[in-house]
Amino acid sequence: MSFKFQWTGFPPEFSTEALEMLTQALNKGENKPPNLVGPIVAKELDLGSTPPELDILEISELEEDRFRAMFRMKYEGDGYLVLQTQVQANPLRLPSSELPTMPSIGVVAAAQPLVVPMLLRISGLKLNGIVVLAVSKHDGITLVFRSDPLVSVEVHSTFDSVPSVRRMLQREIEATLRSLFQEDLPVIVHEMSVNEIKRAREAKDRERREHIERRQQQIRQQHARADSTGDMW
């Protein structure tokens, strides 16, 4: 049995909040690749137009306000993530002959430590794994991968012209993503869903207060008109 859901039309605040939480997660000590220096900033997130495929394996709870099930999830979408950070050339342990001049970013080979800005684009993400998904109208969304779902990913940067650096970044970003999916993504998804529930409740409360205020104003206007009519007589 397949599970279909709406994937497009995410509000702007969704991307803003997701980028902030991803930035926090990527700068955790155990997540941060050792050869990157300075903060890692998630600059751009696009979930693409292709949703993940979810095949229901087991439904353990199905109530009006709560749903819990186990899925096999596959994803080969067109989403991408852009990160901004810095890399220190010297600790990469590359011979100077392997650090050619790169006019595109103005980097030259140097014997001394050299910290340069770098953009990383993560795309071509392929996932395949078992996920437990629980959706509660009151408590938000809980999503947990039962195993490492990462199949492959493409990592491109301003250092693509240096093969050894490209391989290093590919290896370290893959390791970071594996940790992110199993440890940090469940926290991010849950916190964002709780925040969305809170915003929905606040919007409903605000709408209810505005309705009451409009109704009270209408009553006051009716009383004022009635008093004005009585004075005329």
Side-chain angles (χ1 to χ4, degrees):
M1 180 185 299
S2 297
F3 184 80
K4 296 182 179 181
F5 52 93
Q6 184 70 26
W7 186 251
T8 57
F10 295 98
E13 57 268 21
F14 173 88
S15 295
T16 300
E17 188 174 11
L19 288 172
E20 291 176 354
M21 291 189 174
L22 282 170
T23 295
Q24 294 176 5
L26 290 167
N27 285 280
K28 288 172 55 179
E30 62 270 23
N31 283 347
K32 192 171 182 179
N35 284 310
L36 300 184
V37 298
I40 301 173
V41 180
K43 298 290 291 184
E44 187 177 352
L45 174 65
D46 190 328
L47 296 179
S49 58
T50 306
E53 298 178 6
L54 295 178
D55 292 328
I56 298 177
L57 302 178
E58 175 185 329
I59 297 177
S60 56
E61 190 171 357
L62 183 59
E63 303 292 341
E64 182 178 354
D65 60 350
R66 184 172 178 82
F67 170 79
R68 188 177 190 274
M70 183 184 299
F71 297 86
R72 173 168 293 281
M73 189 194 77
K74 295 181 180 180
Y75 177 77
E76 296 185 14
D78 52 349
Y80 64 87
L81 173 66
V82 176
L83 306 177
Q84 179 180 329
T85 185
Q86 294 175 318
V87 62
Q88 188 166 321
N90 202 34
L92 298 179
R93 302 183 185 278
L94 297 175
S96 59
S97 60
E98 293 186 22
L99 286 172
T101 299
M102 294 185 292
S104 61
I105 58 173
V107 176
V108 296
Q112 299 299 320
L114 179 64
V115 176
V116 293
M118 178 175 64
L119 288 176
L120 283 165
R121 181 185 173 95
I122 300 171
S123 60
L125 186 66
K126 293 184 180 181
L127 304 175
N128 189 342
I130 304 299
V131 61
V132 176
L133 176 67
V135 180
S136 170
K137 184 177 180 180
H138 306 289
D139 301 325
I141 299 173
T142 301
L143 180 149
V144 178
F145 286 99
R146 298 289 297 270
S147 59
D148 176 17
L150 183 61
V151 177
S152 64
V153 66
E154 297 176 9
V155 179
H156 295 285
S157 76
T158 42
F159 280 90
D160 277 357
S161 60
V162 184
S164 53
V165 178
R166 186 177 66 247
R167 289 192 298 269
M168 178 274 295
L169 290 172
Q170 179 77 34
R171 182 175 61 252
E172 293 194 353
I173 293 300
E174 282 187 12
T176 297
L177 289 177
R178 294 183 193 282
S179 174
L180 187 72
F181 278 119
Q182 292 193 272
E183 297 179 13
D184 299 285
L185 186 61
V187 177
I188 292 174
V189 170
H190 181 68
E191 289 186 2
M192 290 186 65
S193 66
V194 170
N195 291 341
E196 181 60 29
I197 291 174
K198 181 180 178 181
R199 284 192 292 267
R201 288 174 178 169
E202 290 174 348
K204 186 175 293 185
D205 290 342
R206 184 167 56 251
E207 183 179 350
R208 183 166 53 249
R209 289 195 301 270
E210 291 174 353
H211 174 74
I212 293 174
E213 289 174 0
R214 287 195 300 268
R215 181 57 181 161
Q216 290 175 340
Q217 185 177 6
Q218 291 172 354
I219 293 173
R220 287 193 295 268
Q221 291 173 347
Q222 291 172 356
H223 288 169
R225 285 195 295 269
D227 292 342
S228 176
T229 303
D231 292 341
M232 293 178 61
W233 290 99

